[in-house]
Amino acid sequence: MLDAIKYLIGAAGPSGFGSKSTAEDVTCACNLQSLTAIITGATSGIGAETARVLAKRGARLIIPARNLKAAEDVKSRIQKEIPTAEIIVMELDLSSFASIRRFATNFNSCDLPLNILINNAGKFCHEFQVSQDGFEMTLATNHLGHFLLTRLLLNKMIETANETGIQGRIVNVSSGIHSWMGRERIQFDQLNDPKSYDATRAYAQSKLANILHTKELSLRLEKMKANVTANSIHPGIVRTRITRDRDGLITDLVFFLASKLLKSIPQAASTTCYVAVHPNLKSISGKYFADCNEASASSVANDPNKAMELWRDSDAIVASYV
């Protein structure tokens, strides 16, 4: 009950920020002029606000997108507000391993540094779909796509951190819905049955995978003595384009009834920005954050064996593209 009251009134936590803090609030003291950030899913919603605020603080942005027109529109809006913003739009379809590899190759050929990777893009498939690589689309996009992207960009991040002395940061955007999942292992070969498909379960599973990925990645970075951290976050409940397939009276009614729990998009982008750039988080890795403060993930999400198993299985799937 106390936590609910703190959330509703926006009480600040140990970080000095809370549920009502915005992305601009948490970055107001940050100068990012020497940093380069890649943000997936930056064509709308939380990702677009994250991109705007990081650009406002001086970061160079790489916006990968399947819809290049939407990405160019976001770029134009940001540069209209911030004429000095340096933004590069590049093509990327996170549901395609081949597209991810092309993007990584193209980015690495630009000879740019990479300080921040924000794996923000999210997909919620209301109907069963399969990616071109043969995997259930929600997990393929939200987990496998980001897993491969991170693998392909990790050397560049480690190299940049070594050359500049500036710690690199990876942020995986998860969700509190991850706690809906039980302890069973994520088995990729059992996900492609349209008869047993449940959209909410598929989404929750992908969000659990984001946290498990973060946990194992953090351990591996530590063993490598890499000057790069990895953390996961819950942005909060916010209505974004992820519900676009179900806009209508019922969806509108549900969100109206839940309106007191909803965050604005600037508030929802705050935890991502806080974990990505705030100096308080120097050398903090493998943690889960909500409302700009460290939070408790589910027991399954904290299981190192589950994290290792998921990494092993995911790595086997994308191996030929690494």
Side-chain angles (χ1 to χ4, degrees):
M1 177 63 75
L2 182 59
D3 288 343
I5 293 172
K6 287 181 178 179
Y7 175 86
L8 290 172
I9 66 175
S15 68
F17 305 108
S19 63
K20 302 298 183 186
S21 300
T22 67
E24 291 204 22
D25 293 336
V26 304
T27 60
C28 64
C30 298
N31 182 344
L32 310 181
Q33 289 187 344
S34 63
L35 304 185
T36 300
I38 292 177
I39 309 170
T40 68
T43 57
S44 65
I46 297 169
E49 176 65 2
T50 299
R52 184 189 72 82
V53 171
L54 295 192
K56 188 171 185 176
R57 304 307 179 209
R60 177 197 289 121
L61 300 183
I62 312 298
I63 298 182
R66 183 177 56 180
N67 185 336
L68 294 179
K69 181 182 183 305
E72 291 290 350
D73 288 346
V74 169
K75 175 181 176 178
S76 296
R77 288 198 301 272
I78 293 174
Q79 290 183 327
K80 186 175 182 180
E81 177 187 352
I82 311 153
T84 57
E86 183 180 352
I87 303 172
I88 301 170
V89 171
M90 299 178 71
E91 186 173 8
L92 170 64
D93 180 354
L94 273 170
S95 69
S96 165
F97 297 158
S99 177
I100 295 166
R101 184 173 179 175
R102 279 196 302 273
F103 167 80
T105 299
N106 291 338
F107 173 76
N108 287 329
S109 69
C110 293
D111 198 28
L112 292 171
L114 180 57
N115 307 95
I116 301 166
L117 172 61
I118 300 177
N119 291 320
N120 164 82
K123 191 174 186 65
F124 187 113
C125 295
H126 294 275
E127 305 295 337
F128 178 77
Q129 297 180 44
V130 176
S131 72
Q132 63 181 250
D133 298 293
F135 297 95
E136 186 276 314
M137 184 65 82
T138 300
L139 192 69
T141 304
N142 297 355
H143 167 61
L144 287 173
H146 283 131
F147 179 87
L148 176 58
L149 180 66
T150 303
R151 286 292 312 275
L152 294 174
L153 296 176
L154 196 56
N155 285 342
K156 172 59 71 174
M157 294 197 72
I158 294 172
E159 176 186 302
T160 298
N162 288 340
E163 291 177 353
T164 63
I166 300 172
Q167 191 168 72
R169 296 193 186 182
I170 299 168
V171 182
N172 287 335
V173 178
S174 181
S175 168
I177 200 174
H178 80 272
S179 62
W180 292 18
M181 295 302 299
R183 298 198 62 84
E184 64 270 24
R185 177 182 164 197
I186 297 174
Q187 295 180 294
F188 295 96
D189 58 349
Q190 294 182 5
L191 298 178
N192 290 356
D193 181 6
K195 294 180 181 178
S196 61
Y197 181 72
D198 180 283
T200 302
R201 178 180 173 79
Y203 185 72
Q205 186 167 238
S206 73
K207 296 292 101 178
L208 172 60
N210 291 153
I211 302 176
L212 292 172
H213 171 210
T214 306
K215 292 287 186 182
E216 181 67 15
L217 174 60
S218 175
L219 289 175
R220 288 171 181 258
L221 289 167
E222 183 179 359
K223 289 177 181 177
M224 295 166 66
K225 300 188 184 305
N227 191 21
V228 177
T229 63
N231 292 289
S232 57
I233 70 108
H234 167 50
I237 307 170
V238 59
R239 188 170 188 182
T240 67
R241 289 185 63 229
I242 203 166
T243 64
R244 59 188 174 270
D245 292 341
R246 282 294 182 273
D247 281 344
L249 179 60
I250 295 176
T251 303
D252 291 339
L253 178 60
V254 169
F255 275 93
F256 173 75
L257 294 174
S259 60
K260 296 301 181 184
L261 299 176
L262 292 181
K263 288 187 175 187
S264 67
I265 287 177
Q267 290 168 346
S270 64
T271 306
T272 301
C273 290
Y274 176 73
V275 175
V277 302
H278 201 282
N280 281 357
L281 274 295
K282 181 175 173 58
S283 300
I284 301 298
S285 192
K287 305 299 184 182
Y288 174 71
F289 291 82
D291 300 329
C292 302
N293 288 276
E294 188 175 335
S296 297
S298 70
S299 60
V300 181
N302 285 310
D303 187 332
N305 293 323
K306 298 288 186 189
M308 184 174 60
E309 287 174 357
L310 179 66
W311 183 286
R312 182 193 62 208
D313 293 345
S314 303
D315 199 43
I317 288 169
V318 304
S320 62
Y321 291 91
V322 178

